[in-house]
Amino acid sequence: DSIDINNTNMSANLNELQNATVGMTVGVIEVLCLQPFNYCKNMMQQGRPLSTDPRVLYRGVMANAVNMGSCTMIQFAVGGSLKKLVSGGEQRTLKMHEEMGTGIAAGVTSALVGSPLELIMIQQQRTGKGSLETFKSIANPNNFFRGFLGAAVREGLWTCGYLSIPPIVRRNLREMYPDKFDTDNKARVPAALLGGLFACYLTQPFDTVKTCMQGDIARKTYGTFTQTAKKISEDGFTAFYRGATFRYGRMVCAVFMMDYLQAAVGPLLYPSAFK
């Protein structure tokens, strides 16, 4: 099906600047819709009380919008370049290991930008301070990349989930069950569910360690990555999965949105690239 091939290799049809524009647009839309899920997840991971006040739910939304916009922009741009490199410029469907490899590499690269921005967001959620004041409090070598390792692992597998798993599942469903999944939209729902499940539960422990580290820049409870993991484990293995329900709910929505928008926004902004 030519439509399925174009959707799967969408970013390979665009240059780096075009991929960046698509990625930024998709990331910002996702944050503005789903920020309350992120707030609840972060608070539960740190054992802090939840609020239903929209002003609290949306604390740090600007930092998160910049984070998701820039990280998704990087992921699409790097992912698109790697897909072109792997395919040798040919218009072909990438193999499973090629899809996953390019997704992981793009995600890890984006963590260089995303980790400091998430630190700003989490500190705003804890303190209620403004963006500039929060930035000043973390703008030193000891704090700026706090939690980076957890963010890098999480972003690599998360990107693999939303850029690689859904297209692979969607393509296989349409090939194996053409009568039931006769359109991309019908196959997109189970693809989004599997992509979100993969990304959430594989990366949740890393995300929990990262969040606890970034919420405690004074290092009163959590020190290094290893020390933080050991401290969390004192409450049992399930402690690493605090907030997983909110994270999975957000991820299902995000994978669906990003998978759909990846296919829709590119042709909408750059129709000549998809003729």
PDB file of all heavy atoms in Angstrom, residues 170-191:
ATOM      1  N   ARG A 170       1.452  -1.341  12.610  1.00  0.00           N
ATOM      2  CA  ARG A 170       0.394  -0.950  11.668  1.00  0.00           C
ATOM      3  C   ARG A 170       0.574  -1.647  10.322  1.00  0.00           C
ATOM      4  O   ARG A 170      -0.400  -2.156   9.740  1.00  0.00           O
ATOM      5  CB  ARG A 170       0.413   0.570  11.484  1.00  0.00           C
ATOM      6  CG  ARG A 170      -0.772   1.108  10.680  1.00  0.00           C
ATOM      7  CD  ARG A 170      -0.766   2.623  10.677  1.00  0.00           C
ATOM      8  NE  ARG A 170       0.380   3.170   9.973  1.00  0.00           N
ATOM      9  CZ  ARG A 170       1.248   4.007  10.511  1.00  0.00           C
ATOM     10  NH1 ARG A 170       1.127   4.383  11.764  1.00  0.00           N
ATOM     11  NH2 ARG A 170       2.255   4.478   9.783  1.00  0.00           N
ATOM     12  N   ARG A 171       1.793  -1.673   9.844  1.00  0.00           N
ATOM     13  CA  ARG A 171       2.057  -2.319   8.563  1.00  0.00           C
ATOM     14  C   ARG A 171       1.759  -3.811   8.621  1.00  0.00           C
ATOM     15  O   ARG A 171       1.138  -4.370   7.706  1.00  0.00           O
ATOM     16  CB  ARG A 171       3.524  -2.087   8.168  1.00  0.00           C
ATOM     17  CG  ARG A 171       3.908  -2.704   6.811  1.00  0.00           C
ATOM     18  CD  ARG A 171       5.274  -2.244   6.372  1.00  0.00           C
ATOM     19  NE  ARG A 171       6.330  -2.676   7.266  1.00  0.00           N
ATOM     20  CZ  ARG A 171       7.094  -1.852   7.979  1.00  0.00           C
ATOM     21  NH1 ARG A 171       6.895  -0.545   7.922  1.00  0.00           N
ATOM     22  NH2 ARG A 171       8.053  -2.324   8.763  1.00  0.00           N
ATOM     23  N   ASN A 172       2.194  -4.471   9.709  1.00  0.00           N
ATOM     24  CA  ASN A 172       1.955  -5.908   9.844  1.00  0.00           C
ATOM     25  C   ASN A 172       0.474  -6.237   9.977  1.00  0.00           C
ATOM     26  O   ASN A 172       0.000  -7.231   9.417  1.00  0.00           O
ATOM     27  CB  ASN A 172       2.727  -6.460  11.053  1.00  0.00           C
ATOM     28  CG  ASN A 172       4.221  -6.530  10.803  1.00  0.00           C
ATOM     29  OD1 ASN A 172       4.661  -6.597   9.654  1.00  0.00           O
ATOM     30  ND2 ASN A 172       5.014  -6.492  11.856  1.00  0.00           N
ATOM     31  N   LEU A 173      -0.257  -5.416  10.720  1.00  0.00           N
ATOM     32  CA  LEU A 173      -1.694  -5.653  10.864  1.00  0.00           C
ATOM     33  C   LEU A 173      -2.409  -5.534   9.527  1.00  0.00           C
ATOM     34  O   LEU A 173      -3.292  -6.330   9.204  1.00  0.00           O
ATOM     35  CB  LEU A 173      -2.299  -4.664  11.869  1.00  0.00           C
ATOM     36  CG  LEU A 173      -1.986  -4.910  13.348  1.00  0.00           C
ATOM     37  CD1 LEU A 173      -2.540  -3.770  14.197  1.00  0.00           C
ATOM     38  CD2 LEU A 173      -2.556  -6.241  13.807  1.00  0.00           C
ATOM     39  N   ARG A 174      -2.031  -4.548   8.733  1.00  0.00           N
ATOM     40  CA  ARG A 174      -2.685  -4.346   7.448  1.00  0.00           C
ATOM     41  C   ARG A 174      -2.338  -5.453   6.460  1.00  0.00           C
ATOM     42  O   ARG A 174      -3.159  -5.815   5.614  1.00  0.00           O
ATOM     43  CB  ARG A 174      -2.307  -2.981   6.875  1.00  0.00           C
ATOM     44  CG  ARG A 174      -2.858  -1.814   7.697  1.00  0.00           C
ATOM     45  CD  ARG A 174      -3.009  -0.564   6.894  1.00  0.00           C
ATOM     46  NE  ARG A 174      -3.931  -0.766   5.798  1.00  0.00           N
ATOM     47  CZ  ARG A 174      -4.159   0.126   4.835  1.00  0.00           C
ATOM     48  NH1 ARG A 174      -3.513   1.275   4.833  1.00  0.00           N
ATOM     49  NH2 ARG A 174      -4.997  -0.114   3.869  1.00  0.00           N
ATOM     50  N   GLU A 175      -1.127  -5.997   6.573  1.00  0.00           N
ATOM     51  CA  GLU A 175      -0.726  -7.085   5.681  1.00  0.00           C
ATOM     52  C   GLU A 175      -1.328  -8.419   6.104  1.00  0.00           C
ATOM     53  O   GLU A 175      -1.742  -9.216   5.268  1.00  0.00           O
ATOM     54  CB  GLU A 175       0.805  -7.192   5.652  1.00  0.00           C
ATOM     55  CG  GLU A 175       1.487  -6.028   4.939  1.00  0.00           C
ATOM     56  CD  GLU A 175       3.009  -6.125   5.028  1.00  0.00           C
ATOM     57  OE1 GLU A 175       3.505  -7.048   5.721  1.00  0.00           O
ATOM     58  OE2 GLU A 175       3.693  -5.280   4.416  1.00  0.00           O
ATOM     59  N   MET A 176      -1.396  -8.656   7.438  1.00  0.00           N
ATOM     60  CA  MET A 176      -1.888  -9.937   7.945  1.00  0.00           C
ATOM     61  C   MET A 176      -3.406 -10.011   8.036  1.00  0.00           C
ATOM     62  O   MET A 176      -3.998 -11.075   7.875  1.00  0.00           O
ATOM     63  CB  MET A 176      -1.263 -10.215   9.320  1.00  0.00           C
ATOM     64  CG  MET A 176       0.257 -10.378   9.287  1.00  0.00           C
ATOM     65  SD  MET A 176       0.997 -10.478  10.941  1.00  0.00           S
ATOM     66  CE  MET A 176       0.247 -12.007  11.547  1.00  0.00           C
ATOM     67  N   TYR A 177      -4.057  -8.867   8.311  1.00  0.00           N
ATOM     68  CA  TYR A 177      -5.511  -8.827   8.465  1.00  0.00           C
ATOM     69  C   TYR A 177      -6.105  -7.701   7.614  1.00  0.00           C
ATOM     70  O   TYR A 177      -6.644  -6.724   8.130  1.00  0.00           O
ATOM     71  CB  TYR A 177      -5.893  -8.630   9.932  1.00  0.00           C
ATOM     72  CG  TYR A 177      -5.239  -9.621  10.872  1.00  0.00           C
ATOM     73  CD1 TYR A 177      -4.119  -9.251  11.629  1.00  0.00           C
ATOM     74  CD2 TYR A 177      -5.728 -10.924  11.004  1.00  0.00           C
ATOM     75  CE1 TYR A 177      -3.506 -10.156  12.485  1.00  0.00           C
ATOM     76  CE2 TYR A 177      -5.119 -11.838  11.856  1.00  0.00           C
ATOM     77  CZ  TYR A 177      -4.014 -11.443  12.592  1.00  0.00           C
ATOM     78  OH  TYR A 177      -3.408 -12.343  13.445  1.00  0.00           O
ATOM     79  N   PRO A 178      -5.986  -7.814   6.295  1.00  0.00           N
ATOM     80  CA  PRO A 178      -6.419  -6.717   5.413  1.00  0.00           C
ATOM     81  C   PRO A 178      -7.913  -6.417   5.473  1.00  0.00           C
ATOM     82  O   PRO A 178      -8.313  -5.278   5.225  1.00  0.00           O
ATOM     83  CB  PRO A 178      -6.013  -7.211   4.015  1.00  0.00           C
ATOM     84  CG  PRO A 178      -5.945  -8.699   4.144  1.00  0.00           C
ATOM     85  CD  PRO A 178      -5.461  -8.971   5.535  1.00  0.00           C
ATOM     86  N   ASP A 179      -8.727  -7.406   5.801  1.00  0.00           N
ATOM     87  CA  ASP A 179     -10.166  -7.161   5.871  1.00  0.00           C
ATOM     88  C   ASP A 179     -10.539  -6.346   7.106  1.00  0.00           C
ATOM     89  O   ASP A 179     -11.381  -5.443   7.033  1.00  0.00           O
ATOM     90  CB  ASP A 179     -10.931  -8.496   5.885  1.00  0.00           C
ATOM     91  CG  ASP A 179     -10.796  -9.248   4.569  1.00  0.00           C
ATOM     92  OD1 ASP A 179     -10.562  -8.574   3.542  1.00  0.00           O
ATOM     93  OD2 ASP A 179     -10.891 -10.492   4.581  1.00  0.00           O
ATOM     94  N   LYS A 180      -9.926  -6.672   8.238  1.00  0.00           N
ATOM     95  CA  LYS A 180     -10.246  -5.982   9.495  1.00  0.00           C
ATOM     96  C   LYS A 180      -9.578  -4.620   9.573  1.00  0.00           C
ATOM     97  O   LYS A 180     -10.163  -3.643  10.041  1.00  0.00           O
ATOM     98  CB  LYS A 180      -9.810  -6.843  10.679  1.00  0.00           C
ATOM     99  CG  LYS A 180     -10.225  -6.274  12.019  1.00  0.00           C
ATOM    100  CD  LYS A 180      -9.908  -7.253  13.152  1.00  0.00           C
ATOM    101  CE  LYS A 180     -10.396  -6.709  14.482  1.00  0.00           C
ATOM    102  NZ  LYS A 180     -10.121  -7.646  15.596  1.00  0.00           N
ATOM    103  N   PHE A 181      -8.331  -4.531   9.113  1.00  0.00           N
ATOM    104  CA  PHE A 181      -7.586  -3.275   9.154  1.00  0.00           C
ATOM    105  C   PHE A 181      -7.375  -2.792   7.729  1.00  0.00           C
ATOM    106  O   PHE A 181      -6.277  -2.875   7.173  1.00  0.00           O
ATOM    107  CB  PHE A 181      -6.243  -3.477   9.870  1.00  0.00           C
ATOM    108  CG  PHE A 181      -6.379  -3.906  11.303  1.00  0.00           C
ATOM    109  CD1 PHE A 181      -6.183  -5.235  11.661  1.00  0.00           C
ATOM    110  CD2 PHE A 181      -6.726  -2.997  12.297  1.00  0.00           C
ATOM    111  CE1 PHE A 181      -6.306  -5.639  12.979  1.00  0.00           C
ATOM    112  CE2 PHE A 181      -6.860  -3.394  13.617  1.00  0.00           C
ATOM    113  CZ  PHE A 181      -6.658  -4.719  13.959  1.00  0.00           C
ATOM    114  N   ASP A 182      -8.446  -2.279   7.141  1.00  0.00           N
ATOM    115  CA  ASP A 182      -8.389  -1.869   5.744  1.00  0.00           C
ATOM    116  C   ASP A 182      -7.970  -0.409   5.563  1.00  0.00           C
ATOM    117  O   ASP A 182      -7.861   0.077   4.440  1.00  0.00           O
ATOM    118  CB  ASP A 182      -9.738  -2.127   5.052  1.00  0.00           C
ATOM    119  CG  ASP A 182     -10.890  -1.447   5.779  1.00  0.00           C
ATOM    120  OD1 ASP A 182     -10.679  -0.928   6.902  1.00  0.00           O
ATOM    121  OD2 ASP A 182     -12.006  -1.435   5.214  1.00  0.00           O
ATOM    122  N   THR A 183      -7.766   0.309   6.682  1.00  0.00           N
ATOM    123  CA  THR A 183      -7.263   1.685   6.610  1.00  0.00           C
ATOM    124  C   THR A 183      -6.188   1.881   7.672  1.00  0.00           C
ATOM    125  O   THR A 183      -6.127   1.147   8.656  1.00  0.00           O
ATOM    126  CB  THR A 183      -8.386   2.720   6.848  1.00  0.00           C
ATOM    127  OG1 THR A 183      -8.821   2.622   8.212  1.00  0.00           O
ATOM    128  CG2 THR A 183      -9.552   2.499   5.902  1.00  0.00           C
ATOM    129  N   ASP A 184      -5.358   2.905   7.481  1.00  0.00           N
ATOM    130  CA  ASP A 184      -4.324   3.222   8.470  1.00  0.00           C
ATOM    131  C   ASP A 184      -4.926   3.598   9.816  1.00  0.00           C
ATOM    132  O   ASP A 184      -4.386   3.252  10.869  1.00  0.00           O
ATOM    133  CB  ASP A 184      -3.460   4.384   7.970  1.00  0.00           C
ATOM    134  CG  ASP A 184      -2.239   3.893   7.199  1.00  0.00           C
ATOM    135  OD1 ASP A 184      -2.049   2.668   7.117  1.00  0.00           O
ATOM    136  OD2 ASP A 184      -1.503   4.734   6.674  1.00  0.00           O
ATOM    137  N   ASN A 185      -6.024   4.337   9.806  1.00  0.00           N
ATOM    138  CA  ASN A 185      -6.633   4.777  11.058  1.00  0.00           C
ATOM    139  C   ASN A 185      -7.096   3.600  11.913  1.00  0.00           C
ATOM    140  O   ASN A 185      -6.991   3.646  13.145  1.00  0.00           O
ATOM    141  CB  ASN A 185      -7.810   5.717  10.785  1.00  0.00           C
ATOM    142  CG  ASN A 185      -7.348   7.122  10.458  1.00  0.00           C
ATOM    143  OD1 ASN A 185      -6.296   7.565  10.907  1.00  0.00           O
ATOM    144  ND2 ASN A 185      -8.134   7.828   9.672  1.00  0.00           N
ATOM    145  N   LYS A 186      -7.614   2.542  11.325  1.00  0.00           N
ATOM    146  CA  LYS A 186      -8.057   1.383  12.092  1.00  0.00           C
ATOM    147  C   LYS A 186      -6.874   0.659  12.722  1.00  0.00           C
ATOM    148  O   LYS A 186      -6.971   0.156  13.840  1.00  0.00           O
ATOM    149  CB  LYS A 186      -8.842   0.425  11.190  1.00  0.00           C
ATOM    150  CG  LYS A 186     -10.215   0.935  10.780  1.00  0.00           C
ATOM    151  CD  LYS A 186     -10.953  -0.085   9.927  1.00  0.00           C
ATOM    152  CE  LYS A 186     -12.328   0.428   9.523  1.00  0.00           C
ATOM    153  NZ  LYS A 186     -13.062  -0.553   8.675  1.00  0.00           N
ATOM    154  N   ALA A 187      -5.775   0.592  12.038  1.00  0.00           N
ATOM    155  CA  ALA A 187      -4.587  -0.083  12.575  1.00  0.00           C
ATOM    156  C   ALA A 187      -3.804   0.807  13.523  1.00  0.00           C
ATOM    157  O   ALA A 187      -2.997   0.317  14.317  1.00  0.00           O
ATOM    158  CB  ALA A 187      -3.688  -0.527  11.418  1.00  0.00           C
ATOM    159  N   ARG A 188      -4.027   2.120  13.477  1.00  0.00           N
ATOM    160  CA  ARG A 188      -3.256   3.058  14.284  1.00  0.00           C
ATOM    161  C   ARG A 188      -3.537   2.906  15.780  1.00  0.00           C
ATOM    162  O   ARG A 188      -2.650   3.089  16.612  1.00  0.00           O
ATOM    163  CB  ARG A 188      -3.537   4.494  13.829  1.00  0.00           C
ATOM    164  CG  ARG A 188      -2.670   5.542  14.509  1.00  0.00           C
ATOM    165  CD  ARG A 188      -2.809   6.904  13.849  1.00  0.00           C
ATOM    166  NE  ARG A 188      -1.947   6.987  12.672  1.00  0.00           N
ATOM    167  CZ  ARG A 188      -2.381   7.141  11.433  1.00  0.00           C
ATOM    168  NH1 ARG A 188      -3.664   7.221  11.200  1.00  0.00           N
ATOM    169  NH2 ARG A 188      -1.534   7.217  10.429  1.00  0.00           N
ATOM    170  N   VAL A 189      -4.767   2.566  16.168  1.00  0.00           N
ATOM    171  CA  VAL A 189      -5.116   2.454  17.590  1.00  0.00           C
ATOM    172  C   VAL A 189      -4.331   1.341  18.283  1.00  0.00           C
ATOM    173  O   VAL A 189      -3.653   1.595  19.285  1.00  0.00           O
ATOM    174  CB  VAL A 189      -6.633   2.265  17.775  1.00  0.00           C
ATOM    175  CG1 VAL A 189      -6.960   1.978  19.228  1.00  0.00           C
ATOM    176  CG2 VAL A 189      -7.385   3.499  17.295  1.00  0.00           C
ATOM    177  N   PRO A 190      -4.382   0.082  17.816  1.00  0.00           N
ATOM    178  CA  PRO A 190      -3.566  -0.948  18.474  1.00  0.00           C
ATOM    179  C   PRO A 190      -2.072  -0.672  18.368  1.00  0.00           C
ATOM    180  O   PRO A 190      -1.308  -1.026  19.276  1.00  0.00           O
ATOM    181  CB  PRO A 190      -3.943  -2.240  17.731  1.00  0.00           C
ATOM    182  CG  PRO A 190      -4.553  -1.801  16.442  1.00  0.00           C
ATOM    183  CD  PRO A 190      -5.212  -0.497  16.739  1.00  0.00           C
ATOM    184  N   ALA A 191      -1.657  -0.013  17.302  1.00  0.00           N
ATOM    185  CA  ALA A 191      -0.243   0.330  17.165  1.00  0.00           C
ATOM    186  C   ALA A 191       0.176   1.327  18.242  1.00  0.00           C
ATOM    187  O   ALA A 191       1.249   1.203  18.838  1.00  0.00           O
ATOM    188  CB  ALA A 191       0.026   0.902  15.779  1.00  0.00           C
TER     189      ALA A 191
END
